[in-house]
Amino acid sequence: MNNEITQGEALNFISSITSGMNQNDDPESVLDQILSACIQVAAAESGSIMLVEPGREYLHVRASRGLTADSGSLRLRVGEGVMGWVAAHGKPRIVNDARSETDYVQVKEGLLAELAVPMIVGDTVVGVLSVDSSRDNAFHESHKDFLSIMANLAAKIFVNLRDNRLLKTRDRFHRVMIEISRVVSASLRLEDVFRQIMAITEKAFRFHRSTLLLYDREAGRLNVAAAVGADPKDVDKVSYAPGEGVSGQVFLNKKPVFIPSVRKEPDFLNRMQLVVDSDDIGFFCCPILQGTEVVGVFSTFTSQPDGIEPESLLEFLEIVVSFISQAITIQQLVKDETRVVVFENIQLKRELSGRYQFGSLIGRSPNMIKLFEKARIIADSRASVLLTGESGTGKELIASAIHYNSPRREGPFVKINCAAIPENLLESELFGHRKGAFTGAVADKKGKFEVADGGTIFLDEIGELDLNLQSKLLRVLQEREVEPVGGRTRQVDIRVIAATNADLEVQIQQKKFRADLYYRLNVIHLRIPPLSERKEDILLLVQHFLEKYNAENEKKITGISPEAIQLLENYDWPGNIRQLENVIERAVVLSQREVLTVEDFQDSTLPFRDLRATAIEKRREAVAIEAVDAGDDVDWPERNLPPEEHLSEIEGRVYQVVISEVEKRLIVMALKKFRYTKTQAARYLGINRNTLDKKIRELSIDY
């Protein structure tokens, strides 16, 4: 017959088709190409390829040409119609007059002939290829043989391409899952985790406009917990009752769904205004499970399947939802823990606020009272403060008190010792860095200035800061902005309190410290007096440390002897309060008495002399006083009382005048002896510095 296919024509056609298919790795395109070739060779008018579904009960159309517009949704039960019969028996079938076939399924009006051949891989029928014609007796054995070859060829190529694509898809899913798992473990905030997961999936699979709904048990509704690609004004008041809309049905049914076109889905309510009338997009919706309980619903849209089966994407999204469920669980645990932490934090802040109130700081000496009054005044400002004083005088304690009595008390109080961190790490520690800024910077890191945003930063040992870092610190003070290593500048709201035991003015002269930074820091200057200038506070400090270390060591030491107090008050304390605290702690730990005595401070490692040596030294000083030339301002012999006639002239004031004159001579002698250094003169006389100052004023000593 005229339209029969010769062997040569068939081979040439197969060769050209095979060559074209080898250059195409898309299974859908391969099916379309083969179907078009078969329709052309068989001189047919239409045709289709139907594949067997995984359950092997139905066939569904995967490619069609010349059929009705809705033929793509056609499904046949295996065994139903001509194509169903071929799928069930695995044999070709020619129908030359459809009118005489009782099982013929009319898919297009006017068709009279059909040729269907099975697509076989191994011993399994994977689909059926069929061509149709409006002419009776349109197909012959040569057509059947050619279509059988083409169908088997199509089956093998399609399965190989499908399996290859499946492997690639699984690898793609795997890589995306790894990336998502890192996100889940990197943050404790559910909204942040959700947004980052959606950013990953949008890039990988073109998902967009994603929404997370969580179930509120008290209200009995699904509320929006997070949304990507939506206007916040449109989502704030949106909620769904269980069973309401697609999301409500998924919540009740506990089963995920895929809707190919939301425009054709009456249950899609579009309350968040995510879809406009012109959109024809698909919609995935999955329940979020914790055990067997549904706690929420996740949904997302897709414009293009990206060559991946919707079923595969739905399975993938179910795994993604399990990650989101994990993030929800973590957030709930964090909330539970936060309730406890917040309560403890409030108590701690109250305790700290009380502890660092200036009225509670330990000190009754006049210079400390003046310091507390000045610090209380400056606490309400945001001005920079420079604390100076010897090591161990309590500069950090004063800085803490300023912060916790300021309007910034609810903000962070960040402390950093500039001398304790290596110079090459200090810049990153202070200002932070961005990932990849230098070798070893494997992640972004906030600097101390960013951490202190909204609060106070305390820079101890500021004099040890490198000149380069001094310039960056100056910028922070001037511009209120920080620049991380390898990053962009950002504004910060911080108060800077700096401290040093060095003489910054000397360092400026030696060009070790920037003058402009010094003036910026030195807006308010507080000098913390050393312990040698506040001997009145030693007893108070000792009592405080006794209570502290009694509690820590479960001791019951009730006090300290007067001789021991005198011993402590007579010492110069070069290490200041820190040294005193260490001495008291050691005495408490080692003492077996209820009251600390001089013997508890006579350890060879402590800087105190034997009281006997002290007594001998005092006797020597008393003898030396008799030999001192007190000057010419009083007319009586050395080492003797004034003449009686002279005393008679000051009757009623004899004791006061004589004693005052002796005190005056002793003080003048001590000042001359130590070149008018008051601290050393006071120690020599056995009195404290404040008492010496008081006596100098009372006796009108001019030196």
Side-chain angles (χ1 to χ4, degrees):
M1 302 177 101
N2 310 356
N3 58 351
E4 290 185 5
I5 305 172
T6 66
Q7 185 175 5
E9 289 174 337
L11 291 175
N12 290 334
F13 204 82
I14 291 172
S15 176
S16 63
I17 291 298
T18 305
S19 176
M21 289 189 299
N22 287 337
Q23 300 176 19
N24 192 342
D25 61 354
D26 182 7
E28 308 297 330
S29 297
V30 168
L31 293 182
D32 286 339
Q33 195 171 0
I34 290 177
L35 178 60
S36 298
C38 291
I39 292 174
Q40 180 182 352
V41 171
E45 299 166 17
S46 60
S48 63
I49 292 179
M50 301 187 78
L51 298 182
V52 180
E53 293 182 354
R56 303 200 64 78
E57 292 185 12
Y58 290 92
L59 294 163
H60 69 279
V61 174
R62 288 294 292 268
S64 65
R65 288 287 183 273
L67 299 179
T68 57
D70 60 349
S71 60
S73 60
L74 178 64
R75 293 177 79 209
L76 290 176
R77 186 180 294 276
V78 173
E80 179 185 5
V82 175
M83 297 184 75
W85 184 93
V86 171
H89 295 84
K91 297 177 181 180
R93 180 175 173 183
I94 297 176
V95 174
N96 277 321
D97 188 354
R99 292 168 294 190
S100 62
E101 301 291 342
T102 58
D103 60 349
Y104 181 78
V105 176
Q106 188 83 20
V107 294
K108 181 181 177 182
E109 188 177 352
L111 295 179
L112 294 177
E114 180 179 3
L115 168 58
V117 294
M119 299 169 61
I120 300 174
V121 176
D123 297 328
T124 304
V125 176
V126 298
V128 178
L129 188 154
S130 171
V131 293
D132 309 290
S133 177
S134 59
R135 297 174 287 108
D136 56 2
N137 296 311
F139 306 116
H140 307 281
E141 289 297 320
S142 62
H143 296 132
K144 183 186 72 174
D145 295 339
F146 175 77
L147 261 63
S148 296
I149 294 172
M150 294 298 290
N152 289 332
L153 179 64
K156 289 182 174 61
I157 295 177
F158 175 78
V159 169
N160 289 338
L161 291 177
R162 184 187 62 185
D163 291 346
N164 186 44
R165 170 166 284 193
L166 181 60
L167 290 174
K168 289 182 179 179
T169 300
R170 288 179 177 173
D171 180 64
R172 194 169 164 193
F173 284 161
H174 179 67
R175 285 186 279 108
V176 172
M177 289 301 177
I178 291 176
E179 196 171 352
I180 290 175
S181 66
R182 291 171 181 160
V183 168
V184 173
S185 60
S187 176
L188 297 178
R189 292 189 71 244
L190 176 61
E191 187 172 350
D192 290 344
V193 171
F194 181 75
R195 291 184 180 279
Q196 291 182 61
I197 289 176
M198 291 304 100
I200 294 169
T201 56
E202 179 177 352
K203 181 179 179 181
F205 303 112
R206 302 181 186 177
F207 296 132
H208 54 93
R209 307 180 215 175
S210 304
T211 305
L212 174 63
L213 300 171
L214 293 183
Y215 183 62
D216 184 344
R217 291 179 178 278
E218 295 183 2
R221 298 188 69 85
L222 289 161
N223 299 321
V224 179
V228 178
D231 190 331
K233 294 182 293 184
D234 294 332
V235 303
D236 286 343
K237 298 181 180 180
V238 171
S239 66
Y240 296 88
E244 187 178 21
V246 177
S247 298
Q249 292 175 17
V250 167
F251 178 81
L252 282 184
N253 298 332
K254 300 183 181 181
K255 293 181 179 180
V257 298
F258 169 65
I259 298 172
S261 175
V262 292
R263 284 199 309 181
K264 300 176 182 178
E265 177 55 55
D267 289 329
F268 182 75
L269 304 180
N270 198 27
R271 284 184 177 170
M272 295 173 61
Q273 302 300 311
L274 294 175
V275 180
V276 297
D277 292 339
S278 58
D279 281 339
D280 188 16
I281 54 179
F283 182 66
F284 291 97
C285 193
C286 301
I288 302 173
L289 297 169
Q290 288 184 349
T292 58
E293 181 184 5
V294 184
V295 297
V297 174
F298 161 77
S299 63
T300 189
F301 294 88
T302 178
S303 299
Q304 301 176 17
D306 199 24
I308 303 176
E309 294 287 339
E311 293 78 8
S312 298
L313 286 174
L314 199 58
E315 291 177 3
F316 165 75
L317 287 176
E318 287 187 88
I319 300 174
V320 171
V321 164
S322 69
F323 282 107
I324 296 175
S325 175
Q326 179 184 347
I328 294 171
T329 302
I330 292 173
Q331 176 169 275
Q332 188 59 50
L333 291 173
V334 169
K335 281 185 178 179
D336 294 341
E337 291 295 325
T338 301
R339 291 191 187 98
V340 178
V341 173
V342 167
F343 176 72
E344 293 177 349
N345 194 33
I346 291 172
Q347 288 186 317
L348 178 60
K349 285 188 176 180
R350 287 175 180 170
E351 179 185 342
L352 289 173
S353 181
R355 177 181 176 187
Y356 291 123
Q357 285 179 355
F358 292 104
S360 299
L361 284 174
I362 298 173
R364 63 181 181 183
S365 59
N367 50 7
M368 288 303 294
I369 292 175
K370 290 179 182 178
L371 176 67
F372 294 160
E373 290 175 352
K374 192 174 182 180
R376 186 180 292 109
I377 293 171
I378 68 175
D380 289 335
S381 73
R382 63 172 295 167
S384 301
V385 180
L386 179 62
L387 305 177
T388 61
E390 297 177 8
S391 179
T393 51
K395 295 186 287 295
E396 183 178 325
L397 193 67
I398 294 294
S400 300
I402 292 173
H403 171 74
Y404 286 109
N405 286 273
S406 74
R408 297 171 175 266
R409 66 177 65 88
E410 299 299 327
F413 178 59
V414 178
K415 299 176 280 188
I416 186 167
N417 189 329
C418 299
I421 301 174
E423 184 178 317
N424 60 330
L425 299 178
L426 187 57
E427 180 177 6
S428 173
E429 192 70 23
L430 286 174
F431 304 104
H433 64 253
R434 295 296 175 257
K435 180 179 179 181
F438 51 84
T439 303
V442 296
D444 289 352
K445 177 183 178 181
K446 281 188 175 182
K448 297 297 185 183
F449 283 102
E450 284 191 68
V451 175
D453 193 13
T456 305
I457 188 168
F458 175 58
L459 303 175
D460 200 6
E461 304 294 350
I462 190 69
E464 301 296 324
L465 203 61
D466 176 73
L467 284 171
N468 179 50
L469 295 182
Q470 290 179 30
S471 64
K472 295 195 72 171
L473 175 58
L474 180 63
R475 180 176 182 179
V476 175
L477 294 171
Q478 289 178 334
E479 308 296 336
R480 299 293 174 182
E481 63 181 24
V482 296
E483 183 178 359
V485 180
R488 297 180 179 177
T489 59
R490 60 153 295 180
Q491 293 291 319
V492 290
D493 175 25
I494 54 173
R495 182 182 196 169
V496 176
I497 301 178
T500 182
N501 58 12
D503 190 334
L504 294 184
E505 293 184 358
V506 172
Q507 289 193 332
I508 291 172
Q509 294 174 0
Q510 297 173 349
K511 300 191 181 303
K512 294 181 179 179
F513 201 85
R514 294 177 62 109
D516 48 3
L517 176 59
Y518 173 71
Y519 297 130
R520 274 286 179 180
L521 290 172
N522 199 27
V523 176
I524 297 173
H525 180 201
L526 295 181
R527 176 184 174 273
I528 317 300
L531 194 54
S532 59
E533 295 180 11
R534 43 182 294 211
K535 292 294 182 75
E536 300 98 320
D537 297 334
I538 288 180
L539 180 57
L540 291 177
L541 291 167
V542 168
Q543 291 172 342
H544 169 72
F545 293 140
L546 273 179
E547 292 176 4
K548 176 180 178 180
Y549 292 110
N550 267 336
E552 286 189 10
N553 297 281
E554 299 182 354
K555 290 291 191 78
K556 295 182 179 180
I557 297 175
T558 58
I560 183 170
S561 69
E563 294 81 9
I565 282 292
Q566 184 179 1
L567 181 72
L568 300 179
E569 288 180 343
N570 287 338
Y571 184 61
D572 198 31
W573 298 109
N576 293 292
I577 299 173
R578 187 180 295 118
Q579 184 186 10
L580 174 63
E581 181 176 2
N582 292 340
V583 166
I584 299 301
E585 181 181 11
R586 182 183 181 86
V588 169
V589 170
L590 296 177
S591 178
Q592 300 298 316
R593 307 178 182 87
E594 291 187 357
V595 176
L596 296 180
T597 64
V598 172
E599 285 75 12
D600 293 308
F601 301 97
Q602 292 302 317
D603 191 280
S604 60
T605 61
L606 298 178
F608 306 109
R609 295 173 295 174
D610 193 328
L611 281 182
R612 289 173 296 177
T614 304
I616 293 172
E617 184 65 26
K618 286 186 176 180
R619 285 197 295 272
R620 288 176 180 171
E621 291 173 358
V623 173
I625 290 174
E626 297 178 1
V628 173
D629 182 5
D632 300 326
D633 54 331
V634 179
D635 185 17
W636 63 52
E638 295 179 1
R639 305 182 186 85
N640 294 321
L641 291 174
E644 286 188 13
E645 57 268 27
H646 183 77
L647 295 177
S648 298
E649 296 176 2
I650 54 173
E651 184 176 354
R653 296 188 299 115
V654 172
Y655 183 84
Q656 177 185 353
V657 170
V658 172
I659 294 301
S660 296
E661 190 60 30
V662 172
E663 286 182 333
K664 183 176 181 179
R665 291 186 181 189
L666 286 173
I667 291 171
V668 171
M669 176 269 297
L671 289 172
K672 288 181 178 180
K673 178 180 178 67
F674 296 100
R675 298 181 180 180
Y676 301 98
T677 302
K678 289 184 180 180
T679 301
Q680 292 179 329
R683 185 167 62 249
Y684 176 79
L685 294 171
I687 59 178
N688 63 50
R689 167 69 181 273
N690 290 331
T691 302
L692 177 61
D693 287 336
K694 181 179 177 182
K695 289 294 182 182
I696 289 174
R697 290 193 300 271
E698 290 176 351
L699 299 172
S700 301
I701 297 174
D702 184 10
Y703 64 98

